[in-house]
Amino acid sequence: MARKALLISTTSYEHPSLEKSGPIEVDTPGLHDVLRDPGIGGFDEIDRLVNAPLSEVKGRISWFFSDAEPDDDLLLYFSGDGFVAAKTYLAVADTDLHMLVNTALSADFVHDCVENSRCRRLVIVLDFCYSGSFMAALETSGQFLATILVIAATDAYQETRDGPGGSVGVLTDSVVKGLRTGAADLDGNGVVTGNEFADYLVEHARTARQQPTTYRRGRVHDLEIAGRLGETASLPVAVQAEASIVAEVTVDDPPDSDVDWLSDAPADYDLLDRRVLATVVRNRLARIAAERPESSFLVHLDGRWGTGKSTLLKFLRERLEPDFLVVEFDAWRQARLAHPWWFLLTAAREAIAGDLGWWRRKALRIKEIFERVRRTGGPYVAAVAVLLVLAGVIAMWLWPREGTSDQWGAAAKVVTAVAGALIPLWAGALVASRFLLWNSARGAKLFEQSGTNPLHEVSAHFSWLLGQARKPVVFFVDDLDRCAHAQVVDLLDTVQTLFRDAPRRAGVRDVPAPFFVVAADGAWLRKSYERTYETFDDCVALPGKPLGYLFLDKIFQLTVRMPLLTEAKQQRYVDRLLRIGSSDENATIAETANLRRQLREGQGRESEILDLVAEASPAAKAAVAGDAAMALLQPEVVERTEHELRKFRPLLGENPRGMKHFFNTYSIFRCVRTLEGNTPSRDTLALWSIVRMRWPSLFDHLEGCPDAVAGVLQPILVADHFPADLHDVATSAPVREVFTSALGGPLTAARIRQCAGEPVTGVARPA
């Protein structure tokens, strides 16, 4: 048995196409030293390549794996610049950016080397841009591999080189520090196992610019990355952490004054576990697309300005794009300029065409012209036909009878004059096409005013356009809560009446219905409808459910409230932005690693997952919130939870869609509360979900003022806690039945606070 390592790093490039990349500073000498040290890594053979050409890099990798014995422990390390084209590549010294296929190291090559090797235990460390994508190609590697651990500095979409202060090399630095000081030995037993190594790096190498990811298969916990960890190996984790702080940097020292400026644009780096929430929404859309492709589905991302809705849309796009075509629509910029249906149709056309190759884009354009002419271009076809007939008559009249030179010359002069007259006519035909075929915003308005049922044709054409897409289409509507109330209502009504079920209404089969995700403040949308239809409020609104809620419940099948920012979450967010450590950082890392292990090894019960989170320290709870939320998404957990929630059916009212709406509301509430670190019991959160479904205005009032529940539990106090318009609903028998139910009740002020989340002190709860 031998311990072998191959370290490959590229710090500079020969080809002009990569000159702008600049030098890379990565501590590969330090990594070599800690792996070689018999008191730390104890590797027998370490081969190191720096700035080597592709031929040499491939040769060393091939030899590294072909020479391996089944009982060898192998460690392969890469650092440099990564690029994503059709595949993922790592640049080497002689890489030409314009010829990546022939001059860069592909993930497929490494995969093939691993696949043909006899090694059974392998660790791969990837410290470069888009390394998560490189890692994905290795996850199926190794016909003989019993155990493989891959650690990537980023996910599939993140860069690590983005200007001064970039985070390239942070993963390598964390490896060196964790092994040299013993901080990676999370349980303090003197051995760094594969799981400890991965958990330490995931937490310690995470910065504002990168989020490490791992892939583990087999008995990773049996891998020994490092053995005797120097002088601190036999010490407890807390003492090792103190040694690490003294050796590297003192926590109480002032932080680096070179703090990056931060923009207010949607974030590229997930510091608040928003990708988990994006995964929840993505899974729901994928499930519906697979089970009921003919059914449209509308999702509302509800949150006030600045709560991260646009960032969540960005992360959701990353999750959706492999299987869906995303169409982005900025309502604030576009909806006020023309009719919403025209802009939505135009956005869909551009996205569908952009997903095709050059020739197919041209073919789509031609096919669409014929399709629109067939449906709505009668006047335009007539005008063009008259023009062609006129041109033919003139040509016959001018055609020379005998073909002499004089006659041909005279005919040529006349033809020239006629051509000069026809050119304006042709230009007029093109202009007419912009109006008669609604190729412009003005044309859309004119088209809308013509014909007996023009919008039916729009809906039918939209269905045809969806049929040209290679994947189901998802519309992202952002910044709708910046628009005037009339524009808000116009756009949502257009989606509801023209587009959402267009293929089914048009009788088009085998065309998936479109999905819509609308990011906007729910209070803004409700107020827009209430102001537009205020005349009907008294005769339509229900107790505890004003007119605005009725409209939104009709339009959206799922509402996702943006998670609140708890104290621990806020502290962790700021520390990670400013790259500030804490004196108990290593203790938190150890607790976090243990929690993640227990979450992975759980028995698939919601209660067990919630108990683990509830018992954690605030810092560890904030760190594993995303992991816990993902654990709750396991199919066996979801199935058991839905089965246990069926007992609430008698409390859901008479709405036939109640049970389905109840499951959706509960699952989103559970995910959001878990991301906040709140763990209300299943039955209590179920009752709170029912309140949101049946009496949303009562829900909003209690969410902002939980103590007002005294007016429900003791009706004599209702006037002291509720406005006059809520008195009747707060004291009604159905409301009291839910609030005092033995299934998770009574809903006290303390329980409502936990179900509603605990915001940072001084921050108003969303209405």
Side-chain angles (χ1 to χ4, degrees), residues 542-609:
L542 301 175
K545 207 168 193 177
L547 186 66
Y549 282 105
L550 291 175
F551 270 105
L552 295 195
D553 282 354
K554 178 67 175 177
I555 294 171
F556 297 106
Q557 287 73 59
L558 181 65
T559 297
V560 180
R561 300 287 288 271
M562 296 301 295
L564 301 173
L565 200 59
T566 61
E567 293 283 2
K569 204 80 170 178
Q570 185 189 53
Q571 183 64 51
R572 185 167 179 261
Y573 175 71
V574 173
D575 287 349
R576 288 166 65 184
L577 277 180
L578 302 180
R579 299 190 291 278
I580 298 175
S582 61
S583 58
D584 60 348
E585 180 178 0
N586 284 301
T588 300
I589 291 173
E591 183 184 2
T592 299
N594 183 51
L595 285 171
R596 285 182 173 138
R597 178 184 59 78
Q598 293 182 70
L599 288 171
R600 287 195 302 269
E601 298 174 356
Q603 300 301 313
R605 294 187 179 276
E606 184 185 68
S607 58
E608 294 177 355
I609 297 170

Coordinates of all heavy atoms in Angstrom, one line a residue, residues 542-609:
L542 N -64.9 38.1 0.9 CA -65.3 37.2 1.9 C -64.8 37.6 3.3 O -63.8 38.3 3.4 CB -64.8 35.8 1.6 CG -65.3 35.2 0.2 CD1 -64.6 33.9 0.0 CD2 -66.8 35.1 0.2
P543 N -65.4 37.1 4.4 CA -64.8 37.4 5.7 C -63.4 36.9 5.8 O -63.1 35.8 5.6 CB -65.8 36.6 6.6 CG -67.0 36.5 5.9 CD -66.6 36.3 4.4
G544 N -62.5 37.9 6.2 CA -61.1 37.5 6.3 C -60.4 37.4 5.0 O -59.2 37.0 5.0
K545 N -61.0 37.6 3.9 CA -60.4 37.4 2.6 C -60.9 38.5 1.6 O -61.8 38.3 0.8 CB -60.8 36.0 2.0 CG -59.7 35.4 1.1 CD -60.0 34.0 0.8 CE -58.9 33.3 0.1 NZ -59.1 31.9 -0.1
P546 N -60.2 39.7 1.7 CA -60.6 40.8 0.8 C -60.5 40.5 -0.6 O -59.9 39.5 -1.0 CB -59.7 41.9 1.3 CG -59.2 41.5 2.6 CD -59.2 40.0 2.6
L547 N -60.9 41.4 -1.5 CA -60.9 41.2 -2.9 C -59.5 40.9 -3.5 O -59.4 40.1 -4.4 CB -61.5 42.5 -3.6 CG -61.8 42.4 -5.1 CD1 -62.8 41.3 -5.4 CD2 -62.2 43.8 -5.6
G548 N -58.5 41.7 -3.0 CA -57.2 41.4 -3.5 C -56.7 40.0 -3.3 O -56.1 39.4 -4.2
Y549 N -57.0 39.4 -2.2 CA -56.6 38.1 -1.9 C -57.3 37.1 -2.8 O -56.8 36.1 -3.3 CB -56.9 37.7 -0.5 CG -55.9 38.2 0.5 CD1 -56.1 39.3 1.3 CD2 -54.6 37.6 0.6 CE1 -55.2 39.8 2.2 CE2 -53.7 38.1 1.5 CZ -54.0 39.2 2.3 OH -53.1 39.7 3.2
L550 N -58.6 37.4 -3.1 CA -59.4 36.5 -4.0 C -58.8 36.4 -5.4 O -58.7 35.3 -6.0 CB -60.8 37.0 -4.0 CG -61.7 36.8 -2.8 CD1 -63.0 37.4 -2.9 CD2 -61.8 35.3 -2.4
F551 N -58.4 37.6 -5.9 CA -57.7 37.6 -7.2 C -56.4 36.8 -7.2 O -56.2 36.0 -8.1 CB -57.5 39.0 -7.6 CG -58.7 39.6 -8.4 CD1 -59.5 40.6 -7.8 CD2 -58.9 39.3 -9.7 CE1 -60.6 41.1 -8.5 CE2 -60.0 39.8 -10.4 CZ -60.8 40.7 -9.8
L552 N -55.6 37.1 -6.2 CA -54.3 36.4 -6.2 C -54.4 34.9 -6.0 O -53.6 34.2 -6.5 CB -53.4 37.1 -5.1 CG -53.0 38.5 -5.3 CD1 -51.8 38.9 -4.4 CD2 -52.6 38.8 -6.8
D553 N -55.3 34.5 -5.2 CA -55.6 33.1 -5.0 C -56.0 32.4 -6.2 O -55.7 31.2 -6.5 CB -56.6 32.8 -3.9 CG -56.0 33.0 -2.5 OD1 -54.7 33.2 -2.4 OD2 -56.7 33.0 -1.5
K554 N -56.8 33.1 -7.1 CA -57.2 32.6 -8.3 C -56.1 32.5 -9.3 O -56.0 31.5 -10.1 CB -58.3 33.5 -8.9 CG -58.9 33.1 -10.3 CD -59.6 31.8 -10.2 CE -60.3 31.4 -11.5 NZ -60.9 30.1 -11.4
I555 N -55.2 33.5 -9.3 CA -54.1 33.5 -10.3 C -53.0 32.6 -9.9 O -52.5 31.8 -10.8 CB -53.6 35.0 -10.4 CG1 -54.7 35.9 -11.0 CG2 -52.3 35.0 -11.3 CD1 -54.3 37.3 -11.0
F556 N -52.5 32.6 -8.7 CA -51.3 31.8 -8.3 C -51.7 30.5 -7.6 O -52.5 30.5 -6.7 CB -50.4 32.7 -7.4 CG -49.9 33.9 -8.0 CD1 -50.4 35.2 -7.7 CD2 -48.9 33.9 -9.0 CE1 -49.9 36.3 -8.3 CE2 -48.4 35.0 -9.6 CZ -48.9 36.2 -9.2
Q557 N -51.0 29.5 -8.0 CA -51.1 28.2 -7.3 C -50.2 28.0 -6.1 O -50.4 27.1 -5.3 CB -50.9 27.0 -8.3 CG -52.1 26.9 -9.3 CD -52.1 28.0 -10.3 OE1 -51.1 28.1 -11.0 NE2 -53.2 28.7 -10.4
L558 N -49.1 28.8 -6.1 CA -48.1 28.7 -5.0 C -47.6 30.0 -4.7 O -47.1 30.8 -5.6 CB -47.0 27.7 -5.5 CG -45.9 27.5 -4.4 CD1 -46.5 26.7 -3.2 CD2 -44.7 26.7 -5.0
T559 N -47.6 30.4 -3.4 CA -47.0 31.6 -3.0 C -45.8 31.3 -2.1 O -45.9 30.6 -1.1 CB -48.0 32.5 -2.2 OG1 -49.0 32.9 -3.1 CG2 -47.3 33.8 -1.7
V560 N -44.6 31.9 -2.4 CA -43.4 31.7 -1.6 C -43.0 33.0 -1.0 O -42.7 33.9 -1.6 CB -42.3 31.2 -2.5 CG1 -41.0 30.9 -1.7 CG2 -42.7 29.9 -3.3
R561 N -43.1 33.0 0.4 CA -42.7 34.2 1.1 C -41.2 34.2 1.3 O -40.6 33.1 1.6 CB -43.4 34.2 2.5 CG -44.9 34.3 2.4 CD -45.4 35.6 2.0 NE -45.2 36.6 3.0 CZ -46.1 36.9 4.0 NH1 -47.3 36.2 4.0 NH2 -45.9 37.9 4.9
M562 N -40.5 35.3 1.1 CA -39.1 35.4 1.2 C -38.7 35.2 2.7 O -39.4 35.7 3.6 CB -38.6 36.7 0.8 CG -38.8 36.9 -0.7 SD -37.9 35.7 -1.8 CE -36.2 36.0 -1.3
P563 N -37.7 34.4 3.0 CA -37.3 34.1 4.4 C -36.9 35.4 5.1 O -36.3 36.3 4.5 CB -36.1 33.1 4.3 CG -36.3 32.5 2.9 CD -36.9 33.6 2.1
L564 N -37.1 35.5 6.4 CA -36.7 36.6 7.2 C -35.2 36.4 7.6 O -34.7 35.3 7.6 CB -37.6 36.7 8.4 CG -39.1 36.9 8.2 CD1 -39.8 36.9 9.5 CD2 -39.3 38.2 7.4
L565 N -34.6 37.4 8.0 CA -33.2 37.4 8.4 C -33.1 37.4 9.9 O -33.3 38.4 10.6 CB -32.5 38.6 7.8 CG -30.9 38.5 7.7 CD1 -30.5 37.4 6.8 CD2 -30.4 39.9 7.2
T566 N -32.8 36.2 10.5 CA -32.6 36.1 12.0 C -31.3 36.7 12.4 O -30.4 37.0 11.6 CB -32.7 34.6 12.4 OG1 -31.6 33.9 11.8 CG2 -34.0 34.0 11.9
E567 N -31.2 36.9 13.7 CA -29.9 37.5 14.2 C -28.7 36.6 13.9 O -27.7 37.2 13.4 CB -30.0 37.6 15.8 CG -31.1 38.6 16.3 CD -30.6 40.0 16.1 OE1 -29.5 40.2 15.6 OE2 -31.3 40.9 16.5
A568 N -28.8 35.3 14.1 CA -27.6 34.5 13.8 C -27.3 34.5 12.3 O -26.2 34.5 11.9 CB -27.9 33.0 14.3
K569 N -28.4 34.5 11.5 CA -28.2 34.5 10.0 C -27.6 35.8 9.6 O -26.7 35.8 8.7 CB -29.5 34.3 9.3 CG -29.5 33.7 7.9 CD -29.3 32.2 8.0 CE -29.4 31.6 6.6 NZ -29.2 30.1 6.6
Q570 N -28.0 36.9 10.2 CA -27.4 38.2 9.8 C -26.0 38.2 10.2 O -25.1 38.7 9.4 CB -28.2 39.3 10.5 CG -27.8 40.7 10.1 CD -28.4 41.8 10.9 OE1 -28.3 41.7 12.1 NE2 -29.0 42.7 10.3
Q571 N -25.6 37.7 11.4 CA -24.2 37.8 11.8 C -23.4 36.9 10.9 O -22.3 37.4 10.5 CB -24.1 37.2 13.3 CG -22.7 37.3 13.9 CD -22.3 38.8 14.0 OE1 -23.0 39.6 14.5 NE2 -21.1 39.0 13.4
R572 N -23.8 35.8 10.5 CA -23.1 34.9 9.7 C -22.9 35.5 8.3 O -21.8 35.5 7.7 CB -23.8 33.5 9.5 CG -23.0 32.5 8.7 CD -23.7 31.1 9.0 NE -23.0 30.1 8.2 CZ -23.4 29.6 7.1 NH1 -24.5 30.1 6.6 NH2 -22.8 28.7 6.4
Y573 N -24.0 36.2 7.8 CA -23.9 36.8 6.5 C -22.9 38.0 6.5 O -22.1 38.1 5.6 CB -25.3 37.4 6.2 CG -25.4 38.2 4.9 CD1 -25.3 37.6 3.7 CD2 -25.6 39.6 5.0 CE1 -25.5 38.3 2.5 CE2 -25.7 40.3 3.8 CZ -25.6 39.6 2.6 OH -25.8 40.4 1.4
V574 N -22.9 38.8 7.5 CA -21.9 39.9 7.6 C -20.5 39.4 7.7 O -19.6 39.9 7.0 CB -22.3 40.9 8.7 CG1 -21.2 41.9 8.9 CG2 -23.7 41.5 8.4
D575 N -20.3 38.4 8.6 CA -19.0 37.8 8.7 C -18.4 37.3 7.4 O -17.2 37.4 7.1 CB -19.0 36.8 9.8 CG -19.2 37.3 11.2 OD1 -19.1 38.6 11.4 OD2 -19.4 36.5 12.1
R576 N -19.2 36.6 6.7 CA -18.8 36.0 5.4 C -18.5 37.1 4.4 O -17.6 36.9 3.5 CB -19.8 35.0 4.9 CG -19.8 33.7 5.8 CD -21.0 32.8 5.5 NE -21.0 32.3 4.2 CZ -22.0 31.6 3.7 NH1 -23.0 31.3 4.5 NH2 -21.9 31.1 2.5
L577 N -19.3 38.2 4.4 CA -19.1 39.2 3.4 C -17.7 39.9 3.7 O -17.0 40.2 2.8 CB -20.2 40.3 3.5 CG -21.5 40.0 2.7 CD1 -22.5 41.2 3.0 CD2 -21.2 39.9 1.3
L578 N -17.4 40.1 5.0 CA -16.2 40.8 5.4 C -15.1 39.9 5.7 O -14.0 40.4 6.0 CB -16.5 41.7 6.7 CG -17.7 42.7 6.5 CD1 -17.8 43.5 7.8 CD2 -17.4 43.7 5.3
R579 N -15.3 38.6 5.6 CA -14.3 37.6 5.8 C -13.6 37.8 7.2 O -12.4 37.8 7.4 CB -13.2 37.7 4.7 CG -13.7 37.4 3.4 CD -12.6 37.3 2.3 NE -11.9 38.5 2.1 CZ -12.3 39.4 1.3 NH1 -13.4 39.3 0.6 NH2 -11.6 40.5 1.1
I580 N -14.5 37.8 8.2 CA -14.1 38.0 9.6 C -14.4 36.6 10.3 O -15.4 36.0 10.2 CB -14.9 39.1 10.3 CG1 -14.7 40.4 9.6 CG2 -14.6 39.1 11.8 CD1 -15.5 41.5 10.2
G581 N -13.4 36.2 11.0 CA -13.5 34.9 11.8 C -14.0 35.2 13.2 O -14.3 36.3 13.6
S582 N -14.2 34.2 14.0 CA -14.6 34.3 15.4 C -13.8 33.3 16.2 O -13.3 32.4 15.7 CB -16.1 34.0 15.5 OG -16.4 32.7 15.1
S583 N -13.8 33.6 17.5 CA -12.9 32.8 18.4 C -13.4 31.4 18.5 O -12.6 30.5 18.8 CB -12.9 33.4 19.8 OG -14.2 33.6 20.3
D584 N -14.7 31.1 18.3 CA -15.2 29.8 18.4 C -15.5 29.2 17.1 O -16.4 28.3 16.9 CB -16.5 29.8 19.3 CG -17.6 30.6 18.7 OD1 -17.3 31.4 17.7 OD2 -18.7 30.6 19.1
E585 N -14.8 29.7 16.0 CA -15.1 29.2 14.7 C -14.9 27.7 14.5 O -15.7 27.1 13.9 CB -14.2 30.0 13.7 CG -14.4 29.6 12.2 CD -13.5 30.4 11.3 OE1 -12.8 31.3 11.8 OE2 -13.6 30.2 10.1
N586 N -13.8 27.2 15.0 CA -13.6 25.8 14.8 C -14.5 24.9 15.6 O -14.9 23.8 15.2 CB -12.1 25.4 15.2 CG -11.1 25.9 14.2 OD1 -11.2 25.5 13.0 ND2 -10.2 26.8 14.6
A587 N -15.0 25.4 16.8 CA -16.0 24.6 17.5 C -17.3 24.6 16.7 O -18.0 23.6 16.6 CB -16.2 25.3 18.9
T588 N -17.6 25.7 16.1 CA -18.8 25.8 15.2 C -18.7 24.8 14.0 O -19.6 24.1 13.6 CB -19.1 27.2 14.7 OG1 -19.3 28.0 15.9 CG2 -20.3 27.3 13.8
I589 N -17.5 24.8 13.4 CA -17.2 23.9 12.3 C -17.4 22.5 12.7 O -18.0 21.6 12.0 CB -15.8 24.1 11.7 CG1 -15.8 25.5 11.1 CG2 -15.5 23.1 10.7 CD1 -14.4 25.9 10.6
A590 N -16.9 22.1 13.9 CA -17.1 20.7 14.3 C -18.5 20.4 14.6 O -19.0 19.3 14.2 CB -16.3 20.6 15.6
E591 N -19.3 21.3 15.2 CA -20.7 21.0 15.4 C -21.4 20.9 14.1 O -22.3 20.1 13.9 CB -21.3 22.1 16.3 CG -22.7 21.9 16.7 CD -23.3 23.1 17.5 OE1 -22.6 24.1 17.7 OE2 -24.5 23.0 17.8
T592 N -21.1 21.8 13.2 CA -21.8 21.8 11.9 C -21.5 20.5 11.2 O -22.4 19.9 10.6 CB -21.3 23.0 11.1 OG1 -21.6 24.2 11.7 CG2 -21.9 23.0 9.7
A593 N -20.3 20.1 11.2 CA -19.9 18.8 10.5 C -20.7 17.6 11.1 O -21.2 16.7 10.4 CB -18.4 18.6 10.6
N594 N -20.8 17.6 12.4 CA -21.6 16.5 13.1 C -23.1 16.6 12.7 O -23.7 15.5 12.5 CB -21.4 16.7 14.6 CG -22.1 15.5 15.3 OD1 -21.8 14.3 15.0 ND2 -22.9 15.9 16.3
L595 N -23.6 17.8 12.7 CA -25.0 17.9 12.3 C -25.3 17.5 10.9 O -26.2 16.8 10.6 CB -25.5 19.4 12.4 CG -25.7 19.9 13.9 CD1 -25.9 21.4 13.8 CD2 -26.9 19.2 14.5
R596 N -24.3 17.8 9.9 CA -24.5 17.4 8.6 C -24.4 15.9 8.4 O -25.1 15.3 7.6 CB -23.5 18.1 7.7 CG -23.8 19.6 7.4 CD -22.7 20.2 6.5 NE -23.2 21.6 6.2 CZ -22.4 22.6 6.2 NH1 -21.1 22.5 6.5 NH2 -22.8 23.8 5.9
R597 N -23.5 15.3 9.2 CA -23.4 13.8 9.2 C -24.7 13.2 9.6 O -25.3 12.2 9.0 CB -22.3 13.4 10.0 CG -22.1 11.8 10.1 CD -21.0 11.5 11.1 NE -21.2 12.0 12.4 CZ -22.1 11.4 13.3 NH1 -22.8 10.3 12.9 NH2 -22.3 11.9 14.5
Q598 N -25.3 13.7 10.7 CA -26.6 13.2 11.2 C -27.7 13.4 10.3 O -28.6 12.5 10.1 CB -26.9 13.8 12.6 CG -25.9 13.4 13.7 CD -26.3 14.0 15.0 OE1 -27.3 13.6 15.6 NE2 -25.5 15.0 15.5
L599 N -27.7 14.5 9.6 CA -28.8 14.8 8.6 C -28.7 13.8 7.4 O -29.7 13.3 6.9 CB -28.7 16.2 8.0 CG -29.1 17.3 9.0 CD1 -28.8 18.7 8.5 CD2 -30.6 17.2 9.3
R600 N -27.4 13.4 7.0 CA -27.2 12.5 5.9 C -27.6 11.1 6.3 O -28.1 10.3 5.5 CB -25.8 12.5 5.5 CG -25.3 13.7 4.7 CD -24.0 13.4 4.0 NE -23.0 13.0 4.9 CZ -22.1 13.9 5.5 NH1 -22.2 15.2 5.2 NH2 -21.2 13.5 6.3
E601 N -27.4 10.8 7.6 CA -27.7 9.4 8.1 C -29.1 9.2 8.7 O -29.4 8.2 9.3 CB -26.6 9.0 9.1 CG -25.2 9.0 8.5 CD -24.1 8.8 9.6 OE1 -24.5 8.7 10.8 OE2 -23.0 8.7 9.2
G602 N -29.9 10.3 8.6 CA -31.2 10.2 9.3 C -32.2 9.2 8.6 O -31.9 8.6 7.6
Q603 N -33.3 8.9 9.3 CA -34.2 7.9 8.9 C -35.4 8.4 8.0 O -36.3 7.7 7.8 CB -34.8 7.2 10.2 CG -33.7 6.6 11.0 CD -32.9 5.5 10.3 OE1 -33.5 4.6 9.6 NE2 -31.6 5.5 10.4
G604 N -35.3 9.6 7.6 CA -36.3 10.2 6.7 C -37.6 10.6 7.4 O -38.7 10.6 6.8
R605 N -37.5 11.1 8.6 CA -38.6 11.6 9.3 C -38.4 13.1 9.6 O -37.4 13.6 10.0 CB -38.8 10.9 10.7 CG -39.2 9.4 10.5 CD -39.5 8.8 11.8 NE -39.9 7.4 11.7 CZ -41.1 7.0 11.3 NH1 -42.0 7.8 11.1 NH2 -41.3 5.7 11.2
E606 N -39.5 13.9 9.3 CA -39.4 15.3 9.5 C -39.1 15.7 11.0 O -38.3 16.6 11.2 CB -40.8 15.9 9.1 CG -40.8 17.5 9.2 CD -42.2 18.0 8.8 OE1 -43.1 17.8 9.7 OE2 -42.3 18.7 7.8
S607 N -39.7 15.0 11.9 CA -39.5 15.3 13.3 C -38.0 15.2 13.7 O -37.5 16.0 14.5 CB -40.4 14.5 14.2 OG -40.1 13.1 14.0
E608 N -37.4 14.1 13.2 CA -35.9 13.9 13.6 C -35.1 15.1 13.0 O -34.2 15.6 13.7 CB -35.5 12.6 13.0 CG -36.1 11.4 13.6 CD -35.6 10.1 13.0 OE1 -34.9 10.2 12.0 OE2 -36.0 9.0 13.4
I609 N -35.4 15.5 11.8 CA -34.6 16.6 11.2 C -34.8 17.9 12.0 O -33.9 18.6 12.3 CB -35.0 16.8 9.7 CG1 -34.7 15.5 8.9 CG2 -34.4 18.0 9.1 CD1 -35.3 15.5 7.5

